[in-house]
Amino acid sequence: MRMTENGEDSSPSQPVGGVLPGGAPGGKDPGGVSGDNRPVNPTTEDNKTTKLLNNTMKFPQDVRDQSSPYQPRPPLLPKPPALSKGGNRGLVEENVRSRRLKNSQESLTDPAETGSSTESLKEDSTVTGVFTLSGAATLRNGQGSVVGPQSAPSGSPVFRARGQSLSEYERGPHDHHSDPAEQRVRSSKVRLSPLQPSGPFPALEQSLASASLRTANRIDRDCVDYGIVPGRAGPERLQLHRNLSDSRLLDNMVSDNISVNSMKSTFSVLNPIRPRDVRNRSFLEGSVLGSGALLGAEELDRYFPERRVGIYIATWNMQGEKGLPNNLDDLLLPADSEFAQDFYIIGVQEGCPDRREWEIRLQETLGPYYVMLYAASHGVLYLTVFVRRDLIWFCSEVEHATVTTRIMSQIKTKGAVGIGFTFFGTSFLFITSHFTSGDSKVYERILDYNKIIEALALPNGLPDTNPYRSTSSDVTTRFDEVFWFGDFNFRLSKDRVGVEAILNQNPGVDMGPLLHHDQLSKEMKDGSIFKGFQEAPIQFLPTYKYDVGCDMYDTTSKQRTPSYTDRILFRNRQVDDIKVIKYTSCSTIKTSDHRPVIAMFQVKLRPGRDNIPLGAGQFDRSLYLEGIRRRITRELKKREAMKNQGSSTICSIS
């Protein structure tokens, strides 16, 4: 057979019904009929049509010995009319499916297969259109000679796309011992063009339900560290050890970008340290701008991108009761709060005799996430500061001072205790105090306030962050952010009957009619006390004086007037540094004649300098361990009680 320059057969043209000779080895077709011009019957005509399809549908692996650089492209031809009926139809379709299955398996092993399913659809539809339009020209050209269309090399994704789009039926098992000629005939099955999308496909988004996450959930390397073999330990114990090491879990998730990005705050928060800085820098010279300090802008922005820290303050007059509430969760961790805060400052007046027991109970409630930064006392006045343990490195040394407001300094039932420290570059002062009691002793309470601001000797070694705005006669001017809270003992200047009438008329949160008679609000407005301080709007009931264990106001013979004695005030050097989040009372704790008052704030932070004496991460370690031990013991007892309750046979259903 001679080929022209265009790949056409130069042999004499065949009649319309003719076929190419040599369809099978030895010049015979699969049916054993010779490839000459002898008359043929309809059955022979079918075989010759099959031979035509065999020569036309040769795949690259079938024509490797041809010298032409172009390879024949398999067309999508309409099914020959002679093959649409008769016994060979099922055999032809079966061979087509086997041929496509073989080609699809070869394409799956192709290492160059990188196209997406969308690209495969586009390529498939494009090539299908070409095959359909050129089907007639494939059988014969204008002169009557048969011409095969030129196709891409054997690595073309066209064939791979076709193989990948097989139906489940076409992927089924087939007989591999069929005649090779019949397998070539199978390619004549009509393939419909895929539907084209009306618009571009949406961009593929990464999903958290990725293979790497599924793998991470299956692999638990923590079991190796603790000698736990999966299948031999209970699910609760495995889950406990699985949660002990977040870094191990992250090792399995590093290939998932979404997972890593969502954990940036805990996975990579440290800057690289250059050896040159470690060699040459003394860290004793204060940086003027604070940009390169240890507590500078870079470190601050890493932990607090918005430069605001959460402060939780609670004040409570415990009435000197020895018995503490069974649960302090409502005091420190109210259920209506979305997040816990960064600092917890608790001030107590008339505290319980055992101060250490009180601090342990606080640590037990806050759990292992918090450590006690500092605690100070003045008689029965207790002030405790807890901080998140991962923020303790940014706290300076802590200082405290006390002041008594009694005539004799040995009597420490009334007075104040203050704690001051610097966090990054912002200085904080927390004061809890107990002023003189009595309905009409407003002047004495003002004297208590003036004595405290003059005698509270703070700061001592801490640098003043803004000395130009400080005065020696007022301790509250020497710190950036000041919080003063406690039992101020200011009352409502109205009789008991009138106060109860207002409460009955305003059962909601509008406390304006009551606050109109509040002594503290009046004195602050006149500027005689708490100069420069603010208070959030009060939208809770008076916190004094209740009968212990109930919600009834004083029913004793004294019939004390309900009042807002417990308050939380704040002052800042810069406007809008302190933002109030919540200001309310805790009505569920009823072991005292006072209700606790709590407040949440968001406080603005500023970068620090190297002249701030760091606290070096100091905290009360023994208190931390004892509080965690009690917390674990309490949890184990609770589980044991639930287990015993579940296995009780007193009332069982069979």
Side-chain angles (χ1 to χ4, degrees), residues 328-392:
L328 296 178
D329 289 346
D330 293 338
L331 176 64
L332 302 178
L333 305 169
D336 57 347
S337 298
E338 184 178 5
F339 299 106
Q341 303 302 307
D342 301 308
F343 282 88
Y344 279 81
I345 294 89
I346 303 98
V348 172
Q349 308 83 42
E350 298 183 17
C352 62
D354 191 350
R355 171 191 162 195
R356 187 67 175 179
E357 178 65 21
W358 167 247
E359 294 170 352
I360 293 176
R361 291 291 304 276
L362 294 177
Q363 179 71 75
E364 177 186 353
T365 303
L366 292 176
Y369 292 107
Y370 295 87
V371 295
M372 192 177 75
L373 177 65
Y374 203 82
S377 65
H378 178 69
V380 290
L381 285 173
Y382 303 153
L383 182 57
T384 312
V385 178
F386 283 85
V387 61
R388 283 186 56 171
R389 64 183 187 187
D390 46 353
L391 300 178
I392 194 173

Coordinates of all heavy atoms in Angstrom, one line a residue, residues 328-392:
L328 N -18.2 28.1 92.6 CA -17.9 29.5 92.3 C -18.0 29.8 90.8 O -17.5 30.9 90.3 CB -16.6 29.9 92.8 CG -16.4 29.9 94.3 CD1 -15.0 30.3 94.7 CD2 -17.4 30.8 95.0
D329 N -18.5 28.9 90.0 CA -18.6 29.1 88.6 C -19.4 30.3 88.2 O -19.1 31.0 87.3 CB -19.2 27.8 87.9 CG -18.2 26.7 87.9 OD1 -17.0 26.9 88.2 OD2 -18.6 25.5 87.6
D330 N -20.5 30.5 88.9 CA -21.4 31.6 88.6 C -20.7 32.9 88.9 O -21.1 34.0 88.3 CB -22.7 31.5 89.3 CG -23.6 30.3 88.9 OD1 -23.4 29.9 87.7 OD2 -24.4 29.9 89.6
L331 N -19.8 32.9 89.8 CA -19.1 34.1 90.2 C -18.0 34.5 89.1 O -17.9 35.7 88.8 CB -18.5 34.0 91.6 CG -17.6 35.2 92.0 CD1 -18.4 36.4 92.2 CD2 -16.9 34.8 93.3
L332 N -17.3 33.5 88.7 CA -16.1 33.8 87.8 C -16.4 33.4 86.4 O -15.8 34.0 85.5 CB -14.9 33.0 88.3 CG -14.5 33.3 89.8 CD1 -13.3 32.4 90.2 CD2 -14.1 34.7 89.9
L333 N -17.2 32.4 86.1 CA -17.5 31.9 84.8 C -19.0 31.9 84.5 O -19.6 30.9 84.4 CB -16.9 30.5 84.6 CG -15.4 30.4 84.9 CD1 -15.0 28.9 85.0 CD2 -14.5 31.1 83.9
P334 N -19.6 33.1 84.4 CA -21.0 33.2 84.1 C -21.4 32.5 82.8 O -20.6 32.5 81.8 CB -21.3 34.7 84.1 CG -20.0 35.3 83.8 CD -19.0 34.5 84.4
A335 N -22.5 31.8 82.8 CA -22.9 31.0 81.6 C -23.2 31.9 80.4 O -23.2 31.4 79.3 CB -24.1 30.2 82.0
D336 N -23.6 33.1 80.6 CA -24.0 34.0 79.5 C -22.8 34.7 78.8 O -23.0 35.5 77.9 CB -25.0 35.0 79.9 CG -24.5 35.9 81.0 OD1 -23.5 35.5 81.6 OD2 -25.1 36.9 81.3
S337 N -21.6 34.4 79.3 CA -20.4 34.9 78.7 C -19.9 34.0 77.6 O -19.8 32.8 77.8 CB -19.3 35.2 79.7 OG -19.7 36.1 80.7
E338 N -19.5 34.6 76.5 CA -19.0 33.8 75.3 C -17.6 33.3 75.5 O -17.3 32.2 75.2 CB -19.1 34.7 74.0 CG -18.7 33.9 72.8 CD -18.9 34.7 71.5 OE1 -19.2 35.9 71.7 OE2 -18.7 34.2 70.4
F339 N -16.7 34.2 76.1 CA -15.3 33.8 76.3 C -14.9 34.2 77.7 O -15.4 35.1 78.3 CB -14.4 34.6 75.3 CG -14.7 34.3 73.8 CD1 -15.4 35.3 73.0 CD2 -14.3 33.1 73.3 CE1 -15.6 35.0 71.7 CE2 -14.6 32.8 71.9 CZ -15.3 33.8 71.2
A340 N -13.9 33.4 78.2 CA -13.2 33.8 79.4 C -12.3 35.0 79.1 O -11.8 35.2 78.0 CB -12.5 32.6 80.0
Q341 N -11.9 35.7 80.2 CA -11.1 36.9 80.0 C -9.6 36.5 80.3 O -9.3 35.4 80.8 CB -11.6 38.0 81.0 CG -13.1 38.3 80.8 CD -13.3 38.8 79.4 OE1 -12.7 39.7 78.8 NE2 -14.3 38.2 78.7
D342 N -8.8 37.5 80.1 CA -7.3 37.3 80.2 C -6.9 37.5 81.7 O -6.0 36.8 82.1 CB -6.6 38.3 79.3 CG -6.9 38.1 77.8 OD1 -6.8 36.9 77.4 OD2 -7.3 39.1 77.2
F343 N -7.5 38.4 82.4 CA -7.2 38.7 83.8 C -8.4 38.5 84.6 O -9.5 38.9 84.2 CB -6.6 40.1 84.0 CG -5.2 40.2 83.6 CD1 -4.8 40.6 82.3 CD2 -4.1 40.1 84.5 CE1 -3.5 40.7 81.9 CE2 -2.8 40.2 84.1 CZ -2.5 40.5 82.8
Y344 N -8.3 37.9 85.8 CA -9.3 37.8 86.8 C -8.9 38.5 88.0 O -7.9 38.0 88.6 CB -9.7 36.4 87.0 CG -10.7 35.8 85.9 CD1 -10.2 35.3 84.7 CD2 -12.0 35.7 86.1 CE1 -11.0 34.9 83.7 CE2 -12.9 35.3 85.1 CZ -12.4 34.8 84.0 OH -13.2 34.3 83.0
I345 N -9.5 39.5 88.5 CA -9.2 40.2 89.7 C -10.4 40.1 90.6 O -11.5 40.6 90.3 CB -8.8 41.7 89.4 CG1 -7.5 41.8 88.6 CG2 -8.6 42.4 90.7 CD1 -7.8 41.7 87.1
I346 N -10.2 39.5 91.8 CA -11.2 39.3 92.8 C -10.9 40.0 94.0 O -9.8 39.8 94.7 CB -11.4 37.8 93.0 CG1 -11.7 37.1 91.7 CG2 -12.5 37.6 94.0 CD1 -10.5 36.4 91.1
G347 N -11.8 40.9 94.5 CA -11.6 41.7 95.7 C -12.7 41.2 96.7 O -13.9 41.1 96.3
V348 N -12.3 41.0 97.9 CA -13.2 40.4 98.9 C -13.1 41.3 100.2 O -12.0 41.7 100.6 CB -12.9 39.0 99.3 CG1 -13.7 38.5 100.5 CG2 -13.1 38.1 98.1
Q349 N -14.3 41.7 100.7 CA -14.4 42.4 102.0 C -15.0 41.5 103.0 O -15.9 40.7 102.7 CB -15.2 43.7 101.9 CG -14.7 44.6 100.7 CD -15.3 44.2 99.4 OE1 -16.4 43.9 99.3 NE2 -14.4 44.2 98.4
E350 N -14.5 41.6 104.2 CA -15.0 40.7 105.3 C -14.9 39.2 104.8 O -15.8 38.4 104.9 CB -16.4 41.0 105.7 CG -16.6 42.4 106.3 CD -18.0 42.6 106.8 OE1 -18.8 41.6 106.9 OE2 -18.4 43.8 107.0
G351 N -13.7 38.9 104.4 CA -13.4 37.6 103.8 C -13.5 36.5 104.9 O -13.5 36.7 106.1
C352 N -13.5 35.2 104.4 CA -13.5 34.1 105.3 C -12.2 34.0 106.0 O -11.2 34.5 105.6 CB -13.7 32.8 104.5 SG -12.4 32.5 103.3
P353 N -12.2 33.4 107.2 CA -11.0 33.4 108.1 C -9.8 32.7 107.4 O -8.7 33.1 107.6 CB -11.5 32.6 109.3 CG -13.0 32.8 109.3 CD -13.4 32.8 107.9
D354 N -10.1 31.7 106.6 CA -9.0 31.0 105.9 C -8.8 31.5 104.5 O -9.4 31.2 103.6 CB -9.3 29.5 105.9 CG -8.1 28.6 105.4 OD1 -7.1 29.2 105.0 OD2 -8.2 27.4 105.5
R355 N -7.8 32.5 104.4 CA -7.6 33.1 103.2 C -7.0 32.1 102.1 O -7.3 32.2 101.0 CB -6.6 34.3 103.4 CG -6.1 34.9 102.1 CD -4.9 35.9 102.4 NE -4.1 36.1 101.2 CZ -2.9 36.7 101.3 NH1 -2.4 37.0 102.4 NH2 -2.3 36.9 100.1
R356 N -6.1 31.2 102.6 CA -5.6 30.3 101.7 C -6.6 29.4 101.1 O -6.6 29.0 99.9 CB -4.5 29.4 102.4 CG -3.7 28.5 101.5 CD -2.8 29.3 100.6 NE -1.9 28.5 99.8 CZ -1.1 28.9 98.9 NH1 -1.0 30.2 98.7 NH2 -0.3 28.1 98.2
E357 N -7.6 29.0 101.8 CA -8.7 28.1 101.3 C -9.4 28.9 100.2 O -9.8 28.3 99.2 CB -9.6 27.7 102.5 CG -10.8 26.9 102.0 CD -10.4 25.5 101.5 OE1 -9.3 25.1 101.7 OE2 -11.2 24.9 100.7
W358 N -9.6 30.2 100.4 CA -10.3 31.0 99.4 C -9.6 31.0 98.1 O -10.1 30.9 97.1 CB -10.6 32.4 100.0 CG -11.0 33.4 99.0 CD1 -10.3 34.5 98.6 CD2 -12.2 33.4 98.3 NE1 -11.0 35.2 97.7 CE2 -12.2 34.6 97.5 CE3 -13.4 32.6 98.3 CZ2 -13.2 34.9 96.6 CZ3 -14.4 33.0 97.4 CH2 -14.3 34.1 96.6
E359 N -8.3 31.2 98.2 CA -7.4 31.3 97.0 C -7.4 29.9 96.3 O -7.4 29.9 95.0 CB -6.0 31.7 97.3 CG -6.0 33.2 97.9 CD -4.6 33.5 98.4 OE1 -3.8 32.6 98.6 OE2 -4.4 34.7 98.8
I360 N -7.4 28.8 97.0 CA -7.4 27.5 96.4 C -8.7 27.3 95.7 O -8.8 26.7 94.6 CB -7.1 26.4 97.5 CG1 -5.7 26.5 98.0 CG2 -7.4 25.0 96.9 CD1 -5.4 25.5 99.1
R361 N -9.8 27.7 96.3 CA -11.1 27.6 95.6 C -11.1 28.4 94.3 O -11.8 28.0 93.3 CB -12.2 28.0 96.6 CG -12.4 27.1 97.8 CD -13.0 25.7 97.3 NE -14.2 25.9 96.6 CZ -15.4 26.1 97.2 NH1 -15.5 26.0 98.5 NH2 -16.5 26.2 96.4
L362 N -10.5 29.6 94.3 CA -10.5 30.3 93.1 C -9.7 29.6 92.0 O -10.1 29.6 90.8 CB -9.9 31.7 93.4 CG -10.7 32.6 94.3 CD1 -9.9 33.9 94.5 CD2 -12.0 33.0 93.7
Q363 N -8.5 29.1 92.4 CA -7.7 28.3 91.4 C -8.4 27.1 90.9 O -8.4 26.8 89.7 CB -6.4 27.9 92.1 CG -5.5 27.1 91.2 CD -4.9 28.0 90.1 OE1 -4.0 28.8 90.3 NE2 -5.4 27.8 88.9
E364 N -9.1 26.4 91.8 CA -9.9 25.2 91.4 C -11.0 25.6 90.4 O -11.2 24.8 89.4 CB -10.5 24.6 92.6 CG -11.4 23.4 92.3 CD -12.1 22.9 93.6 OE1 -11.8 23.4 94.7 OE2 -12.9 22.0 93.4
T365 N -11.6 26.7 90.5 CA -12.7 27.1 89.6 C -12.1 27.6 88.3 O -12.7 27.2 87.2 CB -13.5 28.3 90.2 OG1 -14.0 27.9 91.5 CG2 -14.6 28.7 89.3
L366 N -11.0 28.3 88.3 CA -10.5 28.8 87.0 C -9.7 27.7 86.2 O -9.6 27.8 85.0 CB -9.6 30.0 87.3 CG -10.3 31.3 87.7 CD1 -9.2 32.4 88.1 CD2 -11.2 31.8 86.7
G367 N -9.2 26.7 86.9 CA -8.6 25.6 86.3 C -7.2 25.8 85.8 O -6.6 26.9 86.1
P368 N -6.7 24.9 85.0 CA -5.2 25.0 84.7 C -4.9 26.1 83.7 O -3.7 26.3 83.4 CB -5.0 23.6 84.1 CG -6.3 23.1 83.6 CD -7.3 23.7 84.5
Y369 N -5.9 26.7 83.1 CA -5.5 27.8 82.1 C -5.0 29.1 82.8 O -4.4 29.9 82.1 CB -6.8 28.2 81.3 CG -7.3 27.1 80.4 CD1 -8.4 26.3 80.7 CD2 -6.6 26.8 79.2 CE1 -8.8 25.3 79.8 CE2 -7.0 25.8 78.4 CZ -8.1 25.1 78.7 OH -8.6 24.1 77.8
Y370 N -5.2 29.2 84.1 CA -4.9 30.4 84.8 C -3.9 30.1 86.0 O -4.0 29.0 86.6 CB -6.1 31.1 85.3 CG -7.0 31.6 84.2 CD1 -8.0 30.8 83.6 CD2 -6.9 32.9 83.7 CE1 -8.8 31.2 82.6 CE2 -7.7 33.3 82.6 CZ -8.7 32.5 82.1 OH -9.4 32.9 81.1
V371 N -3.1 31.1 86.3 CA -2.2 31.0 87.4 C -2.4 32.3 88.3 O -2.8 33.3 87.7 CB -0.7 30.9 87.0 CG1 -0.5 29.5 86.3 CG2 -0.3 32.0 86.1
M372 N -2.1 32.2 89.6 CA -2.3 33.3 90.4 C -1.0 34.2 90.4 O 0.1 33.8 90.8 CB -2.5 32.9 91.9 CG -3.0 34.0 92.8 SD -3.4 33.6 94.5 CE -1.7 33.3 95.1
L373 N -1.1 35.3 89.7 CA 0.0 36.2 89.6 C 0.4 36.8 90.9 O 1.6 36.9 91.2 CB -0.4 37.3 88.6 CG 0.7 38.4 88.3 CD1 1.9 37.8 87.7 CD2 0.1 39.5 87.5
Y374 N -0.6 37.2 91.7 CA -0.2 37.9 93.0 C -1.5 37.9 93.9 O -2.6 37.9 93.4 CB 0.2 39.3 92.7 CG 1.1 39.9 93.8 CD1 2.4 39.6 93.9 CD2 0.5 40.7 94.8 CE1 3.2 40.1 94.9 CE2 1.3 41.3 95.8 CZ 2.7 41.0 95.8 OH 3.5 41.5 96.8
A375 N -1.2 38.0 95.2 CA -2.3 38.1 96.2 C -1.8 38.9 97.3 O -0.7 38.8 97.7 CB -2.8 36.7 96.6
A376 N -2.7 39.8 97.8 CA -2.4 40.6 98.9 C -3.6 40.8 99.8 O -4.7 40.5 99.4 CB -1.9 42.0 98.4
S377 N -3.4 41.1 101.1 CA -4.5 41.2 102.0 C -4.2 42.3 103.0 O -3.0 42.7 103.2 CB -4.6 39.9 102.8 OG -3.5 39.6 103.6
H378 N -5.2 42.8 103.6 CA -5.2 43.8 104.7 C -6.3 43.4 105.6 O -7.4 43.8 105.5 CB -5.4 45.2 104.1 CG -5.3 46.3 105.2 ND1 -4.2 46.6 105.9 CD2 -6.3 47.1 105.7 CE1 -4.5 47.6 106.7 NE2 -5.8 47.9 106.6
G379 N -5.9 42.7 106.7 CA -6.9 42.2 107.6 C -7.8 41.2 106.9 O -7.4 40.1 106.4
V380 N -9.1 41.5 106.8 CA -10.1 40.6 106.1 C -10.4 41.2 104.7 O -11.3 40.7 104.0 CB -11.4 40.5 106.9 CG1 -11.2 39.7 108.2 CG2 -11.9 41.9 107.2
L381 N -9.5 42.1 104.2 CA -9.6 42.5 102.8 C -8.6 41.7 102.0 O -7.4 41.6 102.2 CB -9.2 44.0 102.7 CG -10.2 45.0 103.1 CD1 -9.6 46.4 103.1 CD2 -11.5 45.0 102.2
Y382 N -9.2 41.0 100.9 CA -8.3 40.1 100.1 C -8.4 40.6 98.7 O -9.5 41.0 98.2 CB -8.8 38.6 100.1 CG -8.9 38.0 101.5 CD1 -9.8 37.0 101.8 CD2 -8.1 38.4 102.5 CE1 -9.9 36.4 103.0 CE2 -8.2 37.9 103.8 CZ -9.1 36.8 104.0 OH -9.1 36.3 105.3
L383 N -7.3 40.6 98.0 CA -7.2 41.0 96.6 C -6.3 40.0 95.9 O -5.2 39.8 96.3 CB -6.6 42.4 96.4 CG -6.6 43.0 95.0 CD1 -7.9 42.9 94.4 CD2 -6.0 44.4 95.0
T384 N -6.9 39.4 94.9 CA -6.2 38.3 94.2 C -6.2 38.6 92.7 O -7.3 39.0 92.1 CB -6.9 36.9 94.5 OG1 -7.1 36.8 95.9 CG2 -6.0 35.8 93.9
V385 N -5.1 38.3 92.0 CA -5.0 38.6 90.6 C -4.6 37.3 89.9 O -3.5 36.7 90.2 CB -3.9 39.7 90.3 CG1 -3.8 39.8 88.7 CG2 -4.3 41.0 90.9
F386 N -5.4 36.8 89.0 CA -5.1 35.6 88.2 C -4.9 36.1 86.7 O -5.6 37.0 86.3 CB -6.3 34.6 88.2 CG -6.3 33.8 89.5 CD1 -6.9 34.3 90.6 CD2 -5.7 32.6 89.6 CE1 -7.0 33.5 91.8 CE2 -5.7 31.8 90.7 CZ -6.4 32.3 91.8
V387 N -4.0 35.4 86.0 CA -3.7 35.7 84.6 C -3.6 34.4 83.8 O -3.3 33.4 84.4 CB -2.4 36.6 84.5 CG1 -1.2 35.8 85.1 CG2 -2.2 37.0 83.1
R388 N -3.9 34.5 82.6 CA -3.7 33.3 81.7 C -2.2 33.0 81.7 O -1.4 33.8 81.6 CB -4.1 33.7 80.3 CG -5.6 33.6 80.1 CD -6.0 33.8 78.6 NE -5.3 32.8 77.8 CZ -5.6 32.6 76.5 NH1 -6.5 33.3 75.9 NH2 -4.9 31.7 75.8
R389 N -2.0 31.7 81.9 CA -0.6 31.3 82.1 C 0.3 31.6 80.9 O 1.5 31.8 81.1 CB -0.6 29.8 82.4 CG -1.0 28.9 81.3 CD -1.0 27.4 81.6 NE -1.3 26.6 80.5 CZ -1.5 25.3 80.5 NH1 -1.4 24.7 81.7 NH2 -1.7 24.6 79.4
D390 N -0.2 31.7 79.7 CA 0.7 32.0 78.6 C 0.9 33.5 78.4 O 1.7 33.9 77.5 CB 0.1 31.4 77.3 CG -1.4 31.7 77.1 OD1 -2.0 32.3 78.1 OD2 -2.0 31.4 76.1
L391 N 0.3 34.3 79.3 CA 0.6 35.7 79.3 C 1.4 36.2 80.4 O 1.7 37.4 80.5 CB -0.8 36.5 79.3 CG -1.7 36.2 78.1 CD1 -3.0 37.0 78.3 CD2 -1.1 36.6 76.8
I392 N 1.8 35.3 81.3 CA 2.5 35.7 82.5 C 3.9 36.3 82.2 O 4.4 37.1 82.9 CB 2.6 34.5 83.5 CG1 3.0 35.0 84.8 CG2 3.6 33.5 82.9 CD1 3.0 33.9 85.9

